[in-house]
Amino acid sequence: MKGKHPKRRRDKYNPYTIYELKGHYYISFKDGQGRLHEFEISRSIYKAFDTFELEDLKYLNAWDRHIEQTEVWEVTLDKRAFVKSRDFEESVMRNFQVEQLHKEINRLPKKQRKRLILHYFDAMTYEEIARKENCSIRAVEYSVHEAIHKLKKYIKNF
């Protein structure tokens, strides 16, 4: 490949390649007959295609992390449908531990509790929380880590 281009994983359905060469931006792709076409494009179009690729990458990473990749067969469905029942004592103990953890979360200082909940239960990033609270990312990160540290102490003592 000629020129400088972003090195990243690409979606297999992405037909184009973007690159920069001597301050000019290009896009290349193969048509239906397999002929290679290359066009010079503006910097703004290059940035738009770069953004599209990053969005594709974000989706691919989310797919890998969160969406099940196994094939569904009757045998696997049967295994999933069969849920091992817990004995009564185990269920009661588990419920008690969850209740105690929630009590400990409620005992955290207001900012730590709020930021911990936003990060883990509402799935917000540190950046999003910082923007929402109009503070630095480092402050949010520190609050969440301190909250986790306090909860870990509680769990060790439990």
Side-chain angles (χ1 to χ4, degrees):
M1 164 94 335
K2 53 184 158 178
K4 195 170 88 178
H5 60 91
K7 291 193 180 207
R8 59 176 75 114
R9 178 176 156 203
R10 290 182 33 195
D11 184 359
K12 66 182 178 183
Y13 299 111
N14 179 353
Y16 63 85
T17 302
I18 56 175
Y19 62 94
E20 177 194 0
L21 183 64
K22 298 181 183 175
H24 296 274
Y25 301 95
Y26 298 90
I27 186 167
S28 66
F29 61 91
K30 288 186 179 180
D31 65 12
Q33 285 76 40
R35 291 184 303 237
L36 181 67
H37 297 277
E38 293 182 310
F39 297 99
E40 185 173 351
I41 56 176
S42 69
R43 178 177 167 80
S44 60
I45 293 175
Y46 176 85
K47 290 291 184 190
F49 273 92
D50 190 44
T51 303
F52 296 151
E53 282 187 355
L54 290 172
E55 287 298 318
D56 283 348
L57 185 61
K58 185 177 174 182
Y59 176 77
L60 290 171
N61 290 338
W63 174 269
D64 290 345
R65 282 192 310 270
H66 303 291
I67 300 176
E68 185 174 355
Q69 304 288 324
T70 60
E71 293 185 35
V72 179
W73 298 95
E74 188 174 340
V75 175
T76 58
L77 287 175
D78 287 342
K79 286 180 183 176
R80 292 181 202 164
F82 178 71
V83 178
K84 295 179 183 175
S85 62
R86 297 185 199 166
D87 63 352
F88 180 73
E89 287 179 19
E90 186 179 336
S91 294
V92 169
M93 189 62 179
R94 177 78 176 144
N95 289 341
F96 176 73
Q97 289 172 335
V98 169
E99 185 179 313
Q100 291 300 318
L101 183 60
H102 283 282
K103 283 182 183 177
E104 288 301 313
I105 289 173
N106 286 331
R107 288 180 51 195
L108 290 170
K110 186 177 179 180
K111 274 189 182 179
Q112 287 180 359
R113 180 177 62 243
K114 182 180 177 185
R115 291 172 178 174
L116 180 83
I117 289 170
L118 287 173
H119 185 65
Y120 285 103
F121 296 101
D122 294 344
M124 290 179 71
T125 64
Y126 294 143
E127 293 84 10
E128 292 168 333
I129 297 169
R131 243 182 279 121
K132 180 179 180 176
E133 294 187 356
N134 198 24
C135 65
S136 71
I137 296 169
R138 182 67 186 123
V140 173
E141 188 177 4
Y142 181 76
S143 292
V144 172
H145 286 293
E146 280 299 305
I148 292 169
H149 181 71
K150 289 177 182 177
L151 292 174
K152 282 182 180 179
K153 275 186 184 177
Y154 162 73
I155 289 170
K156 283 183 182 178
N157 294 331
F158 186 68

